[in-house]
């Protein structure tokens, strides 16, 4: 047994004793019904032996039929015994299930309560559903089979001894050998079961966190990393399941040894047994004990110990044991993103913040290109506005720069690095993309604002809230520690939360894809002023003319060629920009 399993047994032993001590009445009634099962097992084999030796072989068929009738009554009484056993079993298994559910809920609530470790206990879903049901079913199966084996084996072995002691000499060695071979599989099978449950929890937690942050994954370009993480977790779960299946095959082989060798040994030893005075009836009775009682009970016991026993130990340890230490995610969050950004510092010191080299993108082999051989350079710290008619490729441009979309031809660089195919952690360190439909999750106000940065000080949070005019909203919600209900926020309020989140991010490049479209002009101006004053580069897909006027430079996309310049320069040389200006002014 591994140290982990030994520790689990030590932790689980006291609560198990307390649980059983409070149910002595149920256990006594269960034992009484099991005694009846033991008597039934004894009577069946004994009656068969008597019917042959004292009835049919002795020339008294009436006596033989009478003993067979006794065996039949013993077999039929098994239904009443099973009914009584199951009636008492519910008095043990259902309280266990209720207690585990209460413990799992209390543990999850304590984590979220003030003074607790905090965070969302996503593994609680697995504990409350899958693991609790596994524990209840495994415990019920274990109680049934252990009870049945002990009392049935006692009755069968007592019957063999009553028929002739030599029968035990033949039957017991192969039974013991098969059981010993089976016991060898318990330790590795328990370890495999533990890995399978851990993989199930990790996969469930990853799925829950990814589902809750789909828009952020898309906006920050971390979707591919989350996808790879999910694929790795699925592969881990599959590998754990294969290992578990392999040990189950070994267990099945042990069942075959224990289930067939005793019968074969008895057949081979018939002549030897007959020479020691074992009667024909005793031999038939011995076969009856093996086939009808002992071997089925042993088969059920080995199945239960190999599957239900290891599952029960592992699941109870995960539900009742100490809170596991969180494992670090392979894909980095904001802290690793900051480290990655620092690693780029030397390389990016003199590189353009954004650079497109002859970039072409088409949605389809024969489709007209949305962007055609576009060249663009954005200097570090520059504020660039992107304008153009609807559907001209403005959002496509931001996705290309963010690295969430690959060009058909050409090259896209951010801070001197090609973004296509780059790991999500590096992309998240370099840029933040805020889409038109801002995402706010069900957490605290502070968690939403600091989602892309793990260590903002209270002063920095307060300054950001003040810079974007978000103080009335924060006050209305109940402060930074209040819970946000996304459905209760207007689209403009959600956009302000997302903009403050981007403002606090350590990434040097911000990409706003009409991220202020739900704000009034004054709020939009205030937000863009705050973002432009932030250290770093700002690229804004403009929703109003004022965004282009405030920018250092404006890029006009017209589907044929792109032009860039200041507001005044473009008014002089771009007919499309003049038309857009007239449209906005009207």
């Amino acid at each position: 047994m591994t140290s982990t399993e030994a520790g689990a047994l030590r932790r689980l032993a006291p609560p198990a004793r307390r649980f059983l001590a409070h149910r002595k009445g149920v256990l006594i009634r269960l034992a009484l019904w099991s005694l009846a099962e033991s008597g039934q097992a004894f009577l069946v084999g004994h009656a068969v032996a008597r019917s042959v030796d004292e009835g049919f072989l002795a020339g008294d068929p009436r006596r033989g039929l009478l003993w067979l009738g006794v065996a039949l009554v013993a077999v039929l009484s098994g239904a009443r015994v099973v009914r009584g056993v199951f009636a008492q079993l519910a008095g043990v298994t259902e309280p266990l299930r209720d207690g585990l559910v209460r413990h799992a809920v209390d543990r999850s609530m304590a984590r979220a309560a003030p003074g607790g470790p905090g965070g969302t206990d996503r593994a609680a879903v697995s504990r409350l559903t899958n693991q609790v049901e596994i524990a209840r079913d495994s415990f019920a199966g274990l109680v049934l089979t252990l009870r049945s084996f002990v009392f049935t084996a006692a009755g069968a072995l007592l019957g063999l001894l009553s028929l002739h002691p030599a029968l035990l000499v033949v039957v017991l060695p192969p039974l013991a050998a098969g059981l010993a071979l089976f016991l060898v599989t318990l330790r590795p099978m328990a370890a495999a079961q533990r890995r399978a449950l851990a993989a199930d929890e990790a996969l469930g937690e990853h799925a829950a966190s990814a589902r809750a942050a789909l828009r952020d994954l898309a906006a920050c370009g971390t979707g591919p990393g989350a996808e790879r993480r999910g694929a790795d977790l699925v592969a881990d779960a599959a590998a754990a399941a294969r290992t578990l299946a392999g040990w189950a095959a070994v267990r099945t082989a042990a069942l075959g040894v224990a289930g067939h060798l005793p019968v074969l040994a008895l057949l081979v030893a018939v002549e030897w047994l007959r020479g020691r005075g074992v009667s024909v009836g005793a031999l038939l009775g011995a076969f009856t004990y093996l086939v009808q009682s002992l071997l089925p009970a042993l088969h059920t016991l080995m199945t239960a110990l190999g599957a239900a026993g290891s599952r029960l130990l592992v699941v109870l340890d995960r539900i009742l044991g100490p809170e596991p230490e969180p494992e670090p995610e392979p894909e980095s969050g904001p802290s690793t993103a900051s480290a990655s950004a620092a690693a780029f510092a030397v390389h990016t010191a003199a590189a353009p913040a954004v650079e497109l080299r002859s970039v072409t993108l088409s949605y389809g082999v024969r489709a007209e290109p949305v962007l055609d051989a576009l060249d663009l350079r954005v200097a570090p710290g520059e504020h660039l506005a992107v304008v153009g008619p609807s559907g001209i490729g403005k959002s496509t441009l931001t996705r290309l720069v963010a690295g969430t979309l690959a060009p058909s031809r050409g090259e896209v660089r951010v801070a001197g690095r090609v973004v296509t195919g780059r790991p999500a952690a590096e992309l998240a360190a370099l840029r933040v993309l805020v889409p038109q439909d801002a995402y706010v999750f069900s957490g605290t106000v502070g968690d939403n604002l600091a989602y892309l940065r793990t260590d903002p000080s209270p002063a920095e949070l307060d300054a950001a809230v003040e810079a974007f005019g978000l103080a009335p909203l924060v006050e209305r919600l109940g402060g930074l520690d209040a819970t946000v209900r996304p459905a209760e926020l207007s689209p403009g309020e959600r956009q302000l939360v997302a903009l403050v989140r981007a403002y606090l991010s350590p990434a040097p490049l911000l990409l706003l894809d009409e991220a202020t479209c739900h704000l009034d002009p004054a709020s939009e101006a205030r937000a863009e002023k705050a973002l432009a004053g932030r250290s770093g580069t700002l690229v804004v897909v403009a929703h109003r003319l004022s965004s282009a006027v405030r920018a250092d430079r404006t890029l006009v996309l017209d589907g044929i060629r792109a032009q860039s310049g200041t507001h005044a320069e473009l008014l002089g040389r771009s007919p499309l920009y003049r038309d857009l200006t007239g449209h906005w002014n009207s």
Side-chain angles (χ1 to χ4, degrees), residues 168-561:
L168 290 178
V169 175
V170 175
V171 169
L172 280 181
L175 278 175
L179 188 58
L181 178 61
F182 166 75
L183 292 176
V184 172
T185 69
L186 290 181
R187 176 177 170 179
M189 199 162 186
Q193 185 70 52
R194 186 182 300 276
R195 287 194 297 270
L197 283 174
D200 177 66
E201 281 189 1
L203 183 59
E205 183 169 356
H206 175 75
S209 61
R211 184 172 60 250
L214 286 177
R215 291 188 179 180
D216 281 343
L217 289 174
C220 300
T222 53
E227 182 180 355
R228 288 192 298 273
R229 172 64 173 160
D232 290 342
L233 290 173
V234 170
D236 290 344
R242 285 193 295 269
T243 302
L244 194 60
W247 283 110
V250 177
R251 185 196 67 197
T252 302
L255 288 174
V257 171
H260 296 294
L261 281 185
V263 177
L264 293 175
L266 196 58
L267 287 172
V268 171
V270 166
E271 186 176 353
W272 180 81
L273 291 169
R274 290 288 291 159
R276 279 157 180 75
V278 179
S279 66
V280 175
L283 285 172
L284 288 177
F287 279 111
T288 302
Y289 280 128
L290 286 177
V291 175
Q292 294 295 324
S293 300
L294 192 56
L295 295 184
L298 180 63
H299 183 282
T300 306
L301 173 70
M302 293 170 71
T303 303
L305 286 178
S310 59
R311 282 201 306 265
L312 181 63
L313 177 63
V314 173
V315 170
L316 287 180
D317 186 40
R318 296 196 74 82
I319 296 177
L320 301 176
E323 187 77 24
E325 291 295 328
E327 296 183 1
E329 290 284 334
E331 292 297 340
S332 66
S335 59
T336 308
S338 300
S340 300
F344 291 147
V346 175
H347 179 83
T348 61
V354 177
E355 185 176 14
L356 276 68
R357 300 178 179 178
S358 301
V359 169
T360 298
L361 185 127
S362 301
Y363 291 105
V365 178
R366 299 182 180 177
E368 290 293 325
V370 179
L371 299 175
D372 191 5
L374 177 63
D375 291 309
L376 176 67
R377 289 171 64 92
V378 182
E382 187 177 5
H383 178 186
L384 176 73
V386 182
V387 301
S390 178
I392 204 65
K394 302 186 296 295
S395 295
T396 298
L397 175 63
T398 59
R399 291 178 60 195
L400 285 167
V401 174
T404 61
L405 186 64
S408 305
R409 290 189 301 275
E411 191 174 74
V412 181
R413 291 175 175 263
V414 172
R417 296 295 181 103
V418 176
V419 297
T420 304
R422 187 157 295 279
E426 296 182 11
L427 290 176
L430 294 178
R431 87 288 177 272
V432 173
L433 171 62
V434 184
Q436 179 177 348
D437 296 322
Y439 173 68
V440 176
F441 55 87
S442 296
T444 67
V445 179
D447 288 342
N448 269 277
L449 298 181
Y451 181 71
L452 299 178
R453 180 173 173 180
T454 58
D455 56 348
S457 65
E460 288 175 316
L461 281 174
D462 291 340
V465 167
E466 183 64 30
F468 284 81
L470 204 61
L473 174 62
V474 173
E475 183 178 352
R476 192 191 83 205
L477 294 175
L480 293 174
D481 294 327
T483 300
V484 176
R485 295 178 177 82
E488 297 180 2
L489 300 183
S490 69
E493 290 169 338
R494 288 197 291 270
Q495 282 191 333
L496 280 175
V497 170
L499 291 171
V500 174
R501 180 189 300 156
Y503 176 82
L504 290 170
S505 164
L509 171 63
L510 298 188
L511 303 168
L512 309 185
D513 185 8
E514 295 201 35
T516 60
C517 63
H518 295 298
L519 302 181
D520 60 76
S523 298
E524 180 185 58
R526 184 171 188 169
E528 287 189 6
K529 179 181 178 181
L531 292 170
R534 172 186 180 274
S535 176
T537 305
L538 178 64
V539 177
V540 179
V541 174
H543 179 67
R544 296 183 178 93
L545 173 64
S546 52
S547 294
V549 173
R550 285 189 292 267
D552 300 328
R553 184 163 57 105
T554 299
L555 174 69
V556 182
L557 299 179
D558 61 4
I560 301 174
R561 61 186 181 277

